[in-house]
Amino acid sequence: MLRPLAGLFCLCLVATDATAAEGFGFDDVAGKAHQLSQKKWSAPPGVPDFLADIEYSRFQEIRFREERNLWRGTDSRFQVMLTPAGHYFSHAVALNEIRAGEVKPIPFVRDNFTYPSEEFAKRVPADLGYAGFRLTYPLRGPDINNQFLSFAGASYFRGVGRNDGFGLSARGVAIDTGLPSGEEFPSFTEFWLEKPSAGAEQVVVHALLDGPSLTGAYRFTVRPGDALEIDVKARLFFRKSAELPGYAPLTSMFYYGENTLRPDGEWRPQTHDSDGLLVVAGDSGEWLWRPLINPASLRMSYLRADDPRGFGLIQRDRDFRDFHDLEARYERRPSAWVRPEGNWGQGNVVLVEIPTRSEVNDNIVAFWSPEEAPASGEPVDLSYTLTFGPPGISGHPSGMAMNTFLGDGNRIGGGDQKGAYRILVDFAGGPLDDIDAGADVVSQVSGIDNTEVLEHFVEYSEPTGQWRLSMLVRPAPDRNLALRAFLSRGGEPLTETWTYELPPGVDIRSQ
């Protein structure tokens, strides 16, 4: 079970005297969070209007001077770049450094940045503060400071492995995401960065979170590498009950993909940061793969996951030819995998899919939510490891659904059934890689929500070295097209369970 305990944090932009840091750690932040939870929430002071309303391209002209990196010139391989406040980053945060047994505030210095003009720089308040920070580490060479982790904006943070480009985000917590009542966005308001010792391969960051419904204390133990691993310890204090609390939330973008039609005028084959949700439940150990869609209206799916072993948003398409986008390089976007520690109890992995008409909007959210939301005054402790990196970070042991294609089931190549759809799923990996093309692999397919399965069969695809499941299915009028399928041999599963839902009004179903 998630265990009651304590924690979260507050905004403080005024520098204070250095305080002794001996023994400073997670419990100290949790104490601040607990005290803060006894007080009424107040929004942190916002940035001046000219910074809040600044255009994105102009905001990008505000650049941190790399020669001012925190820990530059020390024996640490880690360095810290500071993030300007403004635009999406509507308020500043308090930053502290823990070095040589002392906690010292990191003061705001206006000259740490270059600005679009001297006139612009004069308008920046001398006590503005920073929006967050970016950690660097020599991932691709001893003399290169590669940015690999960024904290900025509400409780968002983004990470990458060695060969990734930045993509999806994680958050400290999600509150009432997708509900008609409206989502709440708690914010990290103070950070403490522990300076690593010489040769250290990990760095520790503490954070305090505050929002209308709760406060929280966090410790992030960060290890960069081929994949970025972050051990997260959190203690949440609920000021009031939340209808839908979301733990270990992930946020991504899916505009269109191989299982949808291209929007009018689009030349790229696909555009997305993630192409599916992967879940492994603790009770059954079954691996579930859910391809993402861009719905016509907001959709919320609840995938039962008692005591979950893991869940994540995955980018399985990793070939440039999947996207043909030289600027965005979506094939380099990382996957993110959450591996819970301890027994989280009964609950669901919740998938929120929000309609979008462009790729600039993050429209996908996934998180775990307990079956019974914590009551007001009830603190919660949880721990998990969050990994950013290539799609194999989940440790998936079985065959995987690599492609999902959708077409009309009443035309040449699709079938001759009015109102039906031809769906193709290509599987590869795991035990499938060790069996001959002529093996007796069979398909197991079931329709859900009155979806009729007219036919299904599996065949080896010699050009790709994959096994293709072909299904002809027909949804009930005005109902979801909903399916579950996997491949087996001799009664034993060879693959994960592919699950799919396509509501009326989406892509081919709207025509």
Side-chain angles (χ1 to χ4, degrees):
M1 295 289 292
L2 294 178
R3 193 161 54 88
L5 265 170
L8 211 43
F9 84 133
C10 66
L11 176 68
C12 177
L13 296 178
V14 180
T16 58
D17 293 335
T19 56
E22 181 163 356
F24 182 91
F26 177 80
D27 288 341
D28 297 277
V29 184
K32 290 176 177 286
H34 183 245
Q35 292 179 0
L36 190 61
S37 70
Q38 307 303 305
K39 303 176 182 178
K40 184 179 179 180
W41 177 78
S42 59
V47 300
D49 288 345
F50 83 96
L51 284 172
D53 299 333
I54 189 173
E55 293 184 357
Y56 178 75
S57 59
R58 191 161 176 81
F59 180 67
Q60 289 295 98
E61 295 180 43
I62 306 174
R63 298 182 179 276
F64 184 73
R65 301 178 189 270
E66 189 174 346
E67 66 271 16
R68 305 288 180 87
N69 283 5
L70 185 66
W71 304 334
R72 186 181 181 93
T74 71
D75 56 7
S76 173
R77 290 184 288 179
F78 292 91
Q79 294 185 29
V80 185
M81 305 179 70
L82 304 175
T83 303
H87 195 55
Y88 295 126
F89 310 137
S90 59
H91 65 83
V93 301
L95 298 179
N96 305 280
E97 177 191 11
I98 303 175
R99 188 197 292 210
E102 289 187 328
V103 175
K104 295 182 178 180
I106 301 172
F108 175 72
V109 178
R110 185 166 48 193
D111 192 45
N112 278 344
F113 299 92
T114 60
Y115 298 94
S117 67
E118 290 186 9
E119 188 63 31
F120 186 99
K122 291 178 183 178
R123 300 178 66 190
V124 175
D127 61 349
L128 176 63
Y130 304 107
F133 60 92
R134 290 161 285 167
L135 289 171
T136 74
Y137 186 82
L139 283 173
R140 301 176 194 149
D143 301 320
I144 304 175
N145 294 320
N146 301 115
Q147 298 180 35
F148 71 91
L149 181 61
S150 171
F151 283 87
S155 68
Y156 286 88
F157 56 101
R158 298 193 301 161
V160 294
R162 190 185 312 277
N163 297 313
D164 301 320
F166 280 96
L168 80 171
S169 303
R171 281 192 269 171
V173 69
I175 299 294
D176 294 345
T177 305
L179 298 186
S181 58
E183 182 172 4
E184 177 184 318
F185 291 91
S187 294
F188 289 131
T189 56
E190 190 168 4
F191 294 92
W192 294 261
L193 290 80
E194 295 186 11
K195 180 183 177 297
S197 59
E201 297 181 352
Q202 68 178 35
V203 61
V204 176
V205 176
H206 303 275
L208 180 65
L209 177 128
D210 194 14
S213 294
L214 82 171
T215 65
Y218 290 77
R219 182 183 69 207
F220 303 95
T221 303
V222 180
R223 295 181 297 277
D226 291 339
L228 168 63
E229 288 190 344
I230 306 174
D231 294 334
V232 182
K233 179 178 175 63
R235 191 171 297 168
L236 307 175
F237 297 89
F238 284 82
R239 285 190 174 102
K240 59 182 181 179
S241 178
E243 184 177 351
L244 185 64
Y247 302 149
L250 304 171
T251 300
S252 191
M253 180 275 293
F254 183 90
Y255 183 26
Y256 62 96
E258 62 207 6
N259 60 314
T260 70
L261 299 180
R262 292 188 198 175
D264 290 344
E266 277 290 352
W267 55 267
R268 296 168 296 179
Q270 303 183 72
T271 298
H272 53 73
D273 285 337
S274 308
D275 55 3
L277 170 68
L278 183 64
V279 178
V280 55
D283 51 353
S284 66
E286 182 182 27
W287 291 77
L288 299 175
W289 173 252
R290 172 73 172 271
L292 301 176
I293 65 169
N294 180 3
S297 59
L298 185 144
R299 283 182 57 79
M300 298 186 66
S301 302
Y302 293 77
L303 287 75
R304 189 71 186 184
D306 295 337
D307 185 21
R309 296 184 188 176
F311 66 91
L313 293 173
I314 309 296
Q315 181 76 315
R316 284 184 175 171
D317 292 325
R318 299 285 285 185
D319 192 310
F320 174 76
R321 291 170 293 184
D322 293 324
F323 305 97
H324 280 285
D325 192 324
L326 284 170
E327 181 179 359
R329 300 302 301 272
Y330 287 111
E331 80 280 1
R332 297 183 60 232
R333 300 298 168 99
S335 301
W337 183 250
V338 175
R339 188 177 72 249
E341 296 182 9
N343 189 332
W344 282 23
Q346 295 181 323
N348 300 279
V349 172
V350 181
L351 174 63
V352 183
E353 296 168 301
I354 304 167
T356 183
R357 293 189 175 184
S358 79
E359 63 202 273
V360 301
N361 301 312
D362 285 341
N363 64 320
I364 303 296
V365 186
F367 51 84
W368 188 86
S369 189
E371 187 171 87
E372 295 187 10
S376 174
E378 180 181 344
V380 171
D381 241 20
L382 67 155
S383 298
Y384 56 95
T385 297
L386 171 62
T387 306
F388 291 93
I393 55 177
S394 65
H396 195 309
S398 62
M400 295 174 285
M402 306 304 298
N403 303 299
T404 298
F405 301 107
L406 176 71
D408 192 342
N410 189 25
R411 65 174 61 195
I412 295 175
D416 59 359
Q417 296 291 324
K418 186 177 179 180
Y421 300 88
R422 176 65 64 182
I423 300 179
L424 307 174
V425 184
D426 292 334
F427 289 92
L432 291 175
D433 292 342
D434 299 324
I435 61 178
D436 296 331
D440 53 346
V441 175
V442 298
S443 52
Q444 309 288 342
V445 180
S446 56
I448 307 168
D449 197 19
N450 292 317
T451 295
E452 182 182 6
V453 180
L454 301 172
E455 71 172 21
H456 62 92
F457 58 90
V458 61
E459 59 186 328
Y460 182 73
S461 170
E462 188 275 332
T464 63
Q466 299 174 334
W467 292 82
R468 172 162 289 184
L469 167 61
S470 180
M471 296 169 282
L472 185 64
V473 299
R474 181 160 46 208
D478 300 321
R479 299 288 291 271
N480 286 339
L481 188 164
L483 295 162
R484 287 171 55 95
F486 62 93
L487 303 186
S488 66
R489 185 186 187 196
E492 295 296 325
L494 295 171
T495 69
E496 66 195 6
T497 300
W498 171 89
T499 67
Y500 192 65
E501 286 193 12
L502 193 68
V506 175
D507 289 332
I508 193 171
R509 296 203 63 189
S510 66
Q511 298 185 6

